Amino acid sequence: VNPQITKRLLARQIAAANSLPTPEIIPVLAADLENEHPHLVMPFIPGNDLQTWHTTNHSQPLPVLLWVARQIAQGLQ
């Protein structure tokens, strides 16, 4: 992977996350784009990612699934 592309993508991620003051988006606390291994520092949120949650909770009732979909939509809004 091209390091310059990685740095540009991380810079866009930082700008996007920090421009959205909503609880559905995890903020970027710090970033280092100049080292050999660029990275972001974000708060630790306990739990699983959405794919894991879906795999283990695929039989959730419709209201729960709609709540999750609404949280995602609000974060993307």
Side-chain angles (χ1 to χ4, degrees):
V1 174
N2 182 324
Q4 294 304 321
I5 293 173
T6 300
K7 288 178 184 180
R8 276 197 307 255
L9 291 173
L10 285 175
R12 285 177 43 194
Q13 176 69 29
I14 293 165
N18 289 337
S19 70
L20 302 169
T22 175
E24 292 85 9
I25 302 294
I26 301 170
V28 176
L29 303 175
D32 183 353
L33 304 181
E34 301 306 319
N35 272 326
E36 182 180 348
H37 303 287
H39 61 277
L40 305 178
V41 178
M42 302 171 87
F44 175 74
I45 307 294
N48 296 318
D49 60 44
L50 187 58
Q51 182 176 359
T52 303
W53 184 87
H54 173 69
T55 301
T56 58
N57 295 289
H58 61 275
S59 63
Q60 289 290 320
L62 184 59
V64 172
L65 297 175
L66 291 173
W67 178 84
V68 171
R70 181 175 184 203
Q71 296 302 306
I72 293 168
Q74 287 177 329
L76 295 173
Q77 180 185 20

